[in-house]
Amino acid sequence: MDPLIMLVGVGIISISCQLLAYRLKIPAILPLLVSGILLGPVFSVLNPDLLFGDLLFPIISLSVAIILFEGALTLRFQDLGSHGSMVRNLCSVGAIVTWAVITPTAYYVLGISWQMAFLFGAIVTVTGPTVIVPMLRTVRPSAKVANILRWEGIIIDPVGALLAVLVFEFIIASQHPWQHTLEVFGMVLASGFGIGAAVGFFLSWVLRKNWIPHYLANTAVLTIMLGAFALSNSLAHESGLLCVTVMGIWMANTKDLDVSDILEFKETLSVLLISGLFILLAARIDLASIVAIGSGAAILLVVILFVARPLSAYISSIGTDLTWRETALISWIAPRGIVAAAVSSLFALKLETLGFADASLLVPMVFLVIVSTVFIQSLTAKPVAKLLGVTAPSPSGILIFGASSFARAFAKLLKDKGVNVLLADTNWDSIRQARMDNLNTYYGNPISEHARLTLDLSAYGRVLVLSPYKQLNPLVTYHFEDAVGKGKVFGLNHSEQPKTASHKVSEDYAKKLGLFSDNASYSKLASLMAKGATIKSTKLSEEFSFEDYKQEYGSRAMPLCAIDPNGRTYVNDLSSDFVAKADWEVVSLISSE
């Protein structure tokens, strides 16, 4: 088949898998792996080795570097809080415990040599952001658990790769293996940390000085990062993963450096790369080799899932403030990903060339662990998290920016109806009165750094901008539109639209206004409240429909939202057709007679 058609086909299938996973609310890894297995070993449509030839592993290595760098850019030390010790333990003591448990198990149940057992154990210590991050999106564990798993997934990749490199170098060293291994260890650390920190500092300094024009920043960072990865790898084998991780963490924690634009670009690229890589690597699986491993594979998987990871998580949690429920969920979420697949394939080829007979079993064993952990944990992690009570709240709440008398009355009624509401305002008097009404509040700017560090906004899926601050409202609107998604941030119209074109708001921003009605401005709502208007909820029925409701109240009623029998809230916005059905409750601002 034409290689061009094949490449485009992989892209189309990958995005189709992502959309299918989104619709079915399952991790995208599952349909991606199934597609790769069907295209490769089952129907023999896709042969990555034939398609890419000698470029396959360089492409995989560079793709993994981009994925790791993107993940490292999200690792801010402030997010760790008091949980840094757990991450540190998981990536050090925890990795050693996992290695120590899996190695003898692989030796005894699979009948391989001690050399291959040690290398296999080292390779499968990694988890990785390619599998952890998509799973976290679906499982939605508590912020504490999510941060720990995300940090571990990114940091453990270079740690596990380094461990595998050391074992590999020890295996192939014919003379003075311990000395050779220590030398390799020192070179990897020096190259990875040295180049990563140096390039991270250089890029941070250049970007802060604005020496690179904005339109070239993303491309420049990507190119320089790949250059640093290649340079580090050329100096010390497989040190590039450590290098790009150090670079990303350095830049993420540099003061006064905004990496949001770079991160957005890398996130988009990472989704494409992760999707394509999983299909390509799954297509390389030799099903016959996996079957040939025998029944010992089942015992090995049981030990990995129910002994090695739980023991690693428990020992790592000693001395931390994690509850047993949180530790239990961490012990269950440890799927293996791209780095394990790539490293095993690379070392297997080299060991086979050097004449190690059982090296051919390395790749099928690792892929069996990858496929099994991804399938089992992807399908069970969400119910396990719910059973343990370690899930984040549903993002069905409403964040209201502005705590005026209208906003407080509206929030109070929503709270009485079981809707999770948070009021934010920079005006202390408004916040004080909201607190007297026993409402959840945040005193300050909700898009500030303080809010990002102290507020858990995961429970809020929509934002209503009801404040009088015309300069701040657009910033809040665009900030939360990026955080919660387009079509979920609503704002009020301005009371007086300037006639001069140069003084009008942008057309893009104007489309986001129109909350409640086309003339519902802050001043209009405040005026109605001052004249005695009240916020009232009315239940509809088959006999008393929404049309009957509008006829009864006429222009006195300004519908604000509707609440269905399941507690879902539908905000009245001009950009959507607002219709309430039977058994729903309509919440409106009712003007006085």
Side-chain angles (χ1 to χ4, degrees):
M1 186 178 291
D2 188 344
L4 179 62
I5 295 176
M6 186 62 66
L7 286 173
V8 173
V10 170
I12 293 173
I13 292 172
S14 65
I15 194 63
S16 300
C17 290
Q18 291 282 356
L19 290 172
L20 178 65
Y22 172 77
R23 294 296 181 186
L24 298 179
K25 304 299 182 185
I26 61 173
I29 306 162
L30 295 178
L32 289 169
L33 280 176
V34 171
S35 298
I37 292 171
L38 290 176
L39 289 172
V42 176
F43 296 115
S44 300
V45 176
L46 175 62
N47 187 335
D49 294 274
L50 187 62
L51 182 62
F52 292 100
D54 294 338
L55 290 177
L56 178 61
F57 283 103
I59 290 173
I60 292 174
S61 297
L62 292 175
S63 300
V64 172
I66 294 171
I67 293 166
L68 269 183
F69 180 66
E70 181 268 323
L73 282 174
T74 67
L75 300 183
R76 297 172 63 94
F77 292 131
Q78 299 99 319
D79 296 338
L80 266 180
S82 60
H83 315 307
S85 57
M86 181 64 179
V87 175
R88 180 197 63 216
N89 294 344
L90 282 171
C91 296
S92 55
V93 177
I96 294 174
V97 170
T98 302
W99 186 35
V101 172
I102 294 177
T103 296
T105 304
Y107 174 76
Y108 287 110
V109 304
L110 298 180
I112 59 177
S113 66
W114 275 111
Q115 294 170 317
M116 288 303 108
F118 272 106
L119 183 57
F120 171 76
I123 291 173
V124 295
T125 57
V126 301
T127 54
T130 56
V131 283
I132 286 291
V133 173
M135 192 176 292
L136 292 179
R137 289 197 193 105
T138 304
V139 178
R140 299 191 71 253
S142 64
K144 181 195 297 186
V145 173
N147 277 333
I148 291 173
L149 289 172
R150 185 163 52 86
W151 271 84
E152 181 206 7
I154 294 168
I155 294 177
I156 196 68
D157 267 354
V159 171
L162 171 60
L163 182 60
V165 167
L166 295 179
V167 175
F168 173 78
E169 294 293 340
F170 186 87
I171 291 173
I172 64 173
S174 57
Q175 295 181 340
H176 309 295
W178 286 106
Q179 179 182 346
H180 176 72
T181 303
L182 288 175
E183 290 174 354
V184 170
F185 179 69
M187 282 295 297
V188 170
L189 290 184
S191 178
F193 275 105
I195 295 176
V199 178
F201 171 80
F202 169 75
L203 275 176
S204 301
W205 183 64
V206 167
L207 291 172
R208 288 171 63 189
K209 293 288 186 179
N210 295 315
W211 284 5
I212 302 177
H214 186 267
Y215 77 97
L216 284 178
N218 287 334
T219 307
V221 170
L222 175 64
T223 306
I224 294 172
M225 180 272 296
L226 292 176
F229 171 78
L231 175 62
S232 184
N233 264 354
S234 65
L235 295 177
H237 186 59
E238 295 304 320
S239 64
L241 297 180
L242 179 61
C243 171
V244 297
T245 303
V246 171
M247 274 182 61
I249 294 176
W250 186 290
M251 294 178 66
N253 293 277
T254 298
K255 188 177 180 181
D256 298 328
L257 176 63
D258 183 12
V259 296
S260 56
D261 288 342
I262 299 171
L263 187 57
E264 183 179 358
F265 170 70
K266 297 295 187 296
E267 283 177 339
T268 304
L269 194 57
S270 290
V271 170
L272 176 63
L273 292 174
I274 289 171
S275 303
L277 284 179
F278 266 107
I279 291 177
L280 292 174
L281 290 174
R284 298 185 73 251
I285 296 176
D286 185 354
L287 296 180
S289 299
I290 293 179
V291 173
I293 296 175
S295 59
I299 301 174
L300 178 65
L301 288 173
V302 169
V303 171
I304 290 174
L305 290 171
F306 297 102
V307 180
R309 177 62 176 186
L311 186 62
S312 168
Y314 172 74
I315 292 176
S316 299
S317 68
I318 296 175
T320 68
D321 62 350
L322 291 174
T323 65
W324 73 268
R325 295 176 183 273
E326 293 166 336
T327 304
L329 183 59
I330 291 171
S331 71
W332 185 241
I333 301 180
R336 274 59 177 181
I338 290 292
V339 170
V343 170
S344 65
S345 301
L346 180 66
F347 288 158
L349 286 175
K350 293 185 177 181
L351 290 172
E352 286 178 24
T353 304
L354 294 172
F356 288 84
D358 48 0
S360 60
L361 292 175
L362 191 61
V363 173
M365 287 191 304
V366 171
F367 266 95
L368 180 63
V369 172
I370 293 172
V371 173
S372 301
T373 54
V374 166
F375 267 86
I376 294 171
Q377 294 179 350
S378 292
L379 293 174
T380 59
K382 190 170 185 177
V384 168
K386 288 184 176 179
L387 181 66
L388 293 171
V390 198
T391 55
S394 172
S396 58
I398 297 176
L399 169 64
I400 299 178
F401 177 51
S404 63
S405 58
F406 166 79
R408 295 194 301 271
F410 186 32
K412 192 171 183 180
L413 188 142
L414 290 175
K415 181 182 178 182
D416 292 341
K417 298 298 177 182
V419 179
N420 185 12
V421 185
L422 174 69
L423 283 171
D425 204 320
T426 56
N427 185 293
W428 169 246
D429 288 334
S430 297
I431 289 295
R432 179 178 56 81
Q433 293 180 58
R435 290 179 179 177
M436 291 175 64
D437 291 333
N438 200 28
L439 295 169
N440 293 328
T441 63
Y442 174 75
Y443 175 49
N445 184 349
I447 64 174
S448 65
E449 184 71 7
H450 180 270
R452 191 188 71 82
L453 296 175
T454 59
L455 276 180
D456 182 9
L457 298 174
S458 60
Y460 304 98
R462 278 157 302 170
V463 178
L464 307 184
V465 182
L466 307 180
S467 87
Y469 315 125
K470 294 182 180 180
Q471 304 300 322
L472 187 55
N473 286 347
L475 298 177
V476 172
T477 300
Y478 283 109
H479 172 85
F480 282 108
E481 193 174 54
D482 181 62
V484 302
K486 290 188 176 182
K488 296 182 179 180
V489 182
F490 312 93
L492 296 170
N493 270 320
H494 293 286
S495 55
E496 296 180 2
Q497 288 288 354
K499 296 180 179 180
T500 307
S502 61
H503 288 70
K504 291 182 178 180
V505 298
S506 68
E507 184 177 345
D508 179 63
Y509 177 59
K511 292 178 181 178
K512 307 177 193 305
L513 308 179
L515 184 59
F516 306 142
S517 77
D518 56 357
N519 64 347
S521 63
Y522 177 85
S523 57
K524 171 81 179 257
L525 295 176
S527 174
L528 290 173
M529 292 295 291
K531 293 177 181 177
T534 58
I535 296 178
K536 177 183 177 182
S537 68
T538 304
K539 188 166 185 178
L540 304 179
S541 64
E542 295 291 347
E543 295 75 23
F544 186 68
S545 66
F546 188 48
E547 291 300 323
D548 297 328
Y549 175 84
K550 290 191 290 185
Q551 287 181 8
E552 177 171 328
Y553 283 100
S555 61
R556 291 178 53 224
M558 180 188 296
L560 306 177
C561 69
I563 305 173
D564 71 11
N566 296 319
R568 288 190 290 265
T569 306
Y570 300 85
V571 177
N572 182 18
D573 180 64
L574 291 180
S575 62
S576 59
D577 295 329
F578 179 78
V579 178
K581 303 176 182 178
D583 294 328
W584 289 26
E585 287 189 68
V586 178
V587 178
S588 298
L589 177 66
I590 310 295
S591 302
S592 56
E593 295 285 354

